Amino acid sequence: MTVIDISASVMQFLLAFVVVAPLLGAVAALLPAPPGLKGKNPDQAVLRHGVTVTGAVLIATIVLAVGFDHDHPATMQATTDISWIPALDVRIHLGIDGISLPLLLLTALLTFLCALYSYFKLPAGPSPKAFVALVLVLESGTLATFAVLDLLLFFLAFEMVLIPMYFLIARWGSGQRQAAAWKFILYTLLGSVVMLLGLLLIGLKSGTFDMVALATDNGRGLTTSVQVIAVLAIGLGLAVKTPMWPLHSWLPDAHTAAPTVGSVLLAGVLLKMGTYGFVRILLPIAPDGMRTFTPYLAAFAVVGIVYGSLACLALARTGAKGDLKRLIAYSSVGHMGFVLLGIATMTPTGVNGALFANIAHGLITGLLFFLVGAIKDRYGTADLDTLAGATGAALYGRAPRLGALLAFAAIASLGLPGLAGFWGEMLTLFGAYSPAEGLSRPAFRTFMAIGAFGTLLTAAYMLIVVRRVCMGEHTPHSRLSPDDRAPHAADDPEPSGAAGVRPAATTPQLADIQTYEAAAWTPLAALTALAGLWPAVLLGLTDPAVQKLLAGGKS
């Protein structure tokens, strides 16, 4: 069933347009604006260009989804297959199925919302032209990662996003931005070098780099030893990008230093590339190698779940001087642990849960980073003790809509039933209860119990954040000048309240949600609720594709 009947050639064009248009838009952003499109100033013109290009890509992606045959989501659709390097049998092979389509939609939506937000709230830094061009290159690389069906093209697209994200952190970030950017690029590049060796091993041993052909073969053309080596090499590269504990240490620094839109794209889109690689490449192409490593993958995943939650609890406690952006970053380590646990089960239930959790994390954590960025802009700091003062930041009283939306995103993140975060975690735990044949049930049920304990820890730190940021004493007539928004203990000879900060009675009045903020955040909140109330929309796409994937290309 298709909502609108669109010809195969138009679908091919739409998918190619979605991948290539942001790249062309990035080139155009660096050129001088035509006289009639300069607007009030050159900066406004290039920012409007970014909104236009990302909006066009989002519309094309939606049309692609409307024309997608929902009765056959396991079939690759809108395919393009052109020979590129005949000597190596490398082809420009594009296509989408029920696994990649939701990720394309998520990427196009988040990038458009970031471009819209930046039009009104551009982060401080160098030329807006460079900023818009980098965001568009980042979008093109991410969309290509989810659309290509050739191993070498996948690697090129996978690497294409690193340089734009490096510069977004290093030039438009704050705090220790240079160190965070270097840490990000070094970790991911080292992981990618190892991953390339594994991809080449698969391609050379099997005689093809075509991901569809390799998935259909289901590892029968590769010996078990080759699969084990390939999974180890490729898995390390993917685990860094996911990020999996203990390869996660670049993530909190990158998120803390990145501008708001950089954090949204990093959490909402880039982290999904690693887990997508596990599902698209390793599960169908090297199943025997995956069976060897899945117990270890699951163990690292549940350690990440608990570790991320404990780190968040440590940052949330009074007197810890915890940064809210850093706290949300550590929460991502835990949430992506659930995704990895679902993949490690090698069952349709677990993998569907992982894919659902991927999308839910992109929506919810993207919204959280938007909100924390807005709070930082208003207060001049994301330090939780400074925000909360002696009694709490009282967002419910000072900016009720902002406080309510932050509370909504927090309870969605902790997995409240009826919101998107619930289904992915529940299906992942169900998958761990009954893993694939050949995997140890006692071990995976132990992992399931640890993961379930992690959900309790998640609820604990999220509720602490809501209490400290949203609740507290509200004194509406008290105001501070901008210079007083982030007081230091040294300036106050008799500090009161937690960690030597001034009481909440001296905190400034806050602007509530602005129109442009509502435009950027409302779609994420609405989709979080929709996915929680109607999960069949997403699961109806992913389940047939996952069933075929795990069956070795057989429907």
Side-chain angles (χ1 to χ4, degrees), residues 110-331:
L110 283 176
T111 312
F112 170 71
L113 296 180
C114 285
L116 181 64
Y117 186 84
S118 299
Y119 181 81
F120 296 95
K121 190 71 177 178
L122 181 69
S127 163
K129 281 190 172 186
F131 177 83
V132 171
L134 289 168
V135 169
L136 291 174
V137 172
L138 185 68
E139 180 182 33
S140 180
T142 311
L143 290 168
T145 300
F146 300 137
V148 298
L149 297 172
D150 183 276
L151 289 178
L152 291 186
L153 280 184
F154 174 87
F155 177 78
L156 293 177
F158 198 85
E159 296 303 288
M160 183 177 168
V161 305
L162 301 185
I163 300 302
M165 183 53 71
Y166 167 81
F167 281 109
L168 287 175
I169 297 171
R171 303 303 299 276
W172 283 269
S174 60
Q176 301 294 320
R177 57 187 183 181
Q178 294 289 347
W182 273 110
K183 197 170 185 179
F184 163 76
I185 200 74
L186 288 175
Y187 265 75
T188 49
L189 278 178
L190 288 173
S192 297
V193 169
V194 180
M195 184 176 77
L196 177 60
L197 297 177
L199 295 174
L200 290 173
L201 176 65
I202 287 177
L204 295 175
K205 289 293 184 180
S206 63
T208 181
F209 290 97
D210 186 271
M211 291 158 66
V212 176
L214 288 166
T216 303
D217 186 65
N218 201 219
R220 287 182 285 270
L222 300 171
T223 64
T224 300
S225 59
V226 168
Q227 290 189 37
V228 168
I229 296 171
V231 169
L232 181 61
I234 298 171
L236 280 174
L238 297 174
V240 170
K241 187 69 73 72
T242 296
M244 180 185 77
W245 181 91
L247 304 173
H248 68 285
S249 60
W250 61 269
L251 184 71
D253 292 339
H255 272 308
T256 304
T260 297
V261 295
S263 292
V264 171
L265 292 174
L266 182 58
V269 176
L270 264 69
L271 302 190
K272 312 301 173 281
M273 296 166 64
T275 51
Y276 175 78
F278 276 105
V279 174
R280 177 65 75 196
I281 297 174
L282 294 184
L283 279 179
I285 295 175
D288 294 337
M290 277 295 287
R291 283 191 188 90
T292 301
F293 285 106
T294 46
Y296 306 102
L297 179 64
F300 284 129
V302 296
V303 170
I305 292 170
V306 175
Y307 170 83
S309 298
L310 291 176
C312 290
L313 279 171
L315 289 170
R317 66 183 174 85
T318 302
K321 305 295 289 182
D323 187 285
L324 260 182
K325 289 187 73 176
R326 195 172 189 86
L327 186 148
I328 303 302
Y330 272 111
S331 78

Side-chain angles (χ1 to χ4, degrees), residues 508-534:
Q509 293 297 310
L510 300 178
D512 212 336
I513 295 177
Q514 306 296 300
T515 303
Y516 73 92
E517 292 174 330
W521 304 343
T522 301
L524 298 179
L527 288 171
T528 297
L530 179 64
L533 295 172
W534 196 9

Side-chain angles (χ1 to χ4, degrees), residues 6-17:
I6 301 177
S7 68
S9 58
V10 173
M11 292 286 284
Q12 288 177 346
F13 169 78
L14 285 171
L15 184 57
F17 174 83

Side-chain angles (χ1 to χ4, degrees), residues 97-107 359 538 541-542:
D97 63 358
I99 293 172
S100 51
L101 179 60
L103 290 166
L104 282 180
L105 288 166
L106 177 68
T107 301
I359 300 299
L538 183 55
L541 281 172
T542 62

